[in-house]
Amino acid sequence: MATLVEGLTTLLTVGGLVYMLLALLGARDFERYCRRIAAAGNGQPSFAPDVSILKPVKGVDSHMHAGFVSHCRQQYAGNFEILFGVSSLNDPAVAEIERLRAEFPDCAIRLIECPERLGTSGKVSNLIQMLRQAKYPYILINDSDIRVSPHYLTRVMGCFASPPKQSLSGAPSDGAPVGMVTAPYLGRTAADGEALTLWARLEALGISTDFLPGVLTARKIEGGIRFGLGSTLAVSREALTRAGGLEPLVDYLADDYEIGVRIARAGYRVELCGETVETTVPAYNFRGFWDHQLRWARSTRDSRRWGYVGLGITYCIPWAVLNCIASGFALWSFTLLSLVLLARVSVALTVGVGVLRDGQVLRDIWLLPLRDFFGLGFWAWSFASHTVVWRGEHFTLENGRIARAL
């Protein structure tokens, strides 16, 4: 039995090393793509179509207003409007939106009441009702806490102008036009003077050094991406209509993923933009961290089933440590552990710092082993149940769809 465990952990550790190499190659390809995007825009008029930004909101948090302000300060050649959707005009977020209107009277800001509950997902229900009132041919959806640079719209919408005969991602496109643009993101933890918990640091570290490397690896292996990231979902109305619209997604947990999948199936390309945005990571206690990570894990499990099974191999530090134990702390196992640590840190620095420019990675890089042990634990436990917790409510998850738990 000991020999079997030693052999299995050795195989898993080597597999994790191969994954780290693919992640580094994926990061290199993405950086080349970003340079091509920048070069394609030099000396040419920017593609700046009119766009409606849809932001479903519920409640208020301390970082929400800063995110709203960043959207109002766009240096964009085209016209844009910002639609905020609330389920009730009694929502505390309404006061924040009115405050924003007063601060930016020249910005086209509209508040949309969305009283209909069209499915389990209140977010998608609101988006459907907001979309009915959006007036521009391009739609951009992102969450209420997303913070962006002044050039966000210019860079995201500019990706729609990539040549139809050749994808700027380097993948063959068969003449397919771009139907969706999505964007990477980093998790910003507490600002000065605010609480900073270990669990928030672990989540932010995972976004920059675990989640995005996985996205870039999938992009490398599959010759592009065929899903969306909730930080930015920019779509043309034409592509969204041909993909079936938002109505089929009212019971999906990972609606961002599903929109990208359906647009790709409709014959359009999905591009990952080089513009990084920020999301806010709350000062989680352990329970909040557990619920959020497990919801993400089970959502990914249902969205990319076979890819998710293989995700377990990516946690190479835990497998290397277990291999040291299984081998009786043989010298060669420590050599393998050293290689794993070097590869893991290289991926964290290349993607987290090099691609995302996330300085928090340097602050918390010593937490990588702990982050990976938790990651492996969440991955294993995600197969044990179909229950998820979302905004304090319990749901059952099956084939990507959620239903309220009885």
Side-chain angles (χ1 to χ4, degrees):
M1 178 62 71
T3 303
L4 178 63
V5 173
E6 178 184 339
L8 180 60
T9 54
T10 300
L11 182 63
L12 290 169
T13 303
V14 171
L17 276 173
V18 172
Y19 167 79
M20 291 297 157
L21 176 60
L22 288 172
L24 289 171
L25 292 174
R28 182 199 63 179
D29 285 358
F30 183 64
E31 288 182 319
R32 288 178 175 175
Y33 155 76
C34 292
R35 287 195 293 269
R36 284 198 294 271
I37 283 280
N42 288 339
Q44 298 180 15
S46 296
F47 182 68
D50 297 342
V51 56
S52 297
I53 302 173
L54 309 187
K55 295 183 77 69
V57 294
K58 182 179 181 180
V60 176
D61 64 62
S62 58
H63 300 275
M64 176 185 287
H65 188 72
F68 291 173
V69 167
S70 71
H71 286 74
C72 294
R73 291 178 172 164
Q74 291 300 297
Q75 299 174 13
Y76 187 59
N79 295 310
F80 70 95
E81 61 174 355
I82 307 175
L83 277 62
F84 294 96
V86 293
S87 298
S88 168
L89 293 179
N90 294 321
D91 194 296
V94 172
E96 287 295 316
I97 297 164
E98 294 302 332
R99 174 186 168 193
L100 191 73
R101 278 175 163 171
E103 291 178 2
F104 297 92
D106 296 330
C107 189
I109 298 171
R110 287 196 280 154
L111 175 64
I112 309 296
E113 184 180 14
C114 309
E116 299 176 73
R117 190 61 180 255
L118 304 173
T120 310
S121 173
K123 172 188 169 183
V124 178
S125 293
N126 286 7
L127 284 172
I128 292 169
Q129 294 167 76
M130 295 161 70
L131 184 60
R132 295 169 186 166
Q133 300 196 42
K135 65 181 182 180
Y136 290 135
Y138 285 82
I139 305 297
L140 190 151
I141 302 168
N142 61 24
D143 292 333
S144 60
D145 66 338
I146 294 295
R147 190 169 181 172
V148 301
S149 80
H151 306 290
Y152 170 67
L153 280 182
T154 299
R155 291 168 180 164
V156 170
M157 304 310 295
C159 291
F160 283 99
S162 59
K165 295 298 182 183
Q166 181 182 5
S167 169
L168 289 176
S169 66
S173 65
D174 298 324
V178 176
M180 168 183 279
V181 178
T182 191
Y185 63 97
L186 59 88
R188 184 65 63 192
T189 53
D192 293 341
E194 296 180 323
L196 178 60
T197 66
L198 170 65
W199 315 112
R201 294 168 73 174
L202 289 177
E203 173 144 327
L205 187 65
I207 292 170
S208 293
T209 68
D210 184 8
F211 174 72
L212 188 63
V215 171
L216 297 182
T217 302
R219 181 178 177 276
K220 172 69 176 176
I221 294 173
E222 298 173 9
I225 66 171
R226 295 169 180 82
F227 51 86
L229 308 180
S231 58
T232 295
L233 300 169
V235 299
S236 67
R237 279 185 181 269
E238 176 189 327
L240 184 59
T241 299
R242 291 191 178 181
L246 297 175
E247 286 79 3
L249 308 178
V250 289
D251 293 319
Y252 276 88
L253 178 60
D255 52 272
D256 51 355
Y257 177 88
E258 284 293 328
I259 293 173
V261 167
R262 291 162 190 251
I263 284 178
R265 285 177 182 166
Y268 293 89
R269 292 208 319 275
V270 178
E271 292 284 1
L272 182 65
C273 179
E275 176 75 356
T276 299
V277 304
E278 294 183 6
T279 186
T280 301
V281 178
Y284 286 121
N285 56 21
F286 176 72
R287 186 67 201 186
F289 173 69
W290 174 273
D291 287 343
H292 190 262
Q293 290 291 301
L294 204 54
R295 186 179 81 235
W296 177 87
R298 287 176 175 159
S299 172
T300 308
R301 178 201 67 191
D302 275 25
S303 298
R304 293 174 63 87
R305 290 185 178 275
W306 291 111
Y308 186 75
V309 170
L311 184 65
I313 206 172
T314 68
Y315 301 106
C316 52
I317 292 180
W319 293 124
V321 171
L322 292 172
N323 182 246
C324 287
I325 297 171
S327 68
F329 301 100
L331 181 61
W332 63 265
S333 68
F334 282 99
T335 302
L336 191 57
L337 175 60
S338 298
L339 290 174
V340 162
L341 288 170
L342 177 62
R344 184 69 177 96
V345 170
S346 296
V347 169
L349 294 177
T350 299
V351 178
V353 179
V355 175
L356 292 177
R357 304 291 189 266
D358 184 2
Q360 297 172 133
V361 172
L362 296 175
R363 180 194 68 190
D364 295 333
I365 199 165
W366 63 279
L367 291 171
L368 273 177
L370 181 60
R371 167 65 215 182
D372 283 4
F373 270 99
F374 269 110
L376 182 59
F378 285 124
W379 174 82
W381 190 247
S382 69
F383 294 101
S385 171
H386 294 279
T387 301
V388 297
V389 180
W390 190 15
R391 291 184 178 271
E393 298 183 70
H394 288 74
F395 298 88
T396 56
L397 175 67
E398 187 173 353
N399 296 323
R401 292 181 168 86
I402 52 174
R404 292 186 184 277
L406 299 178

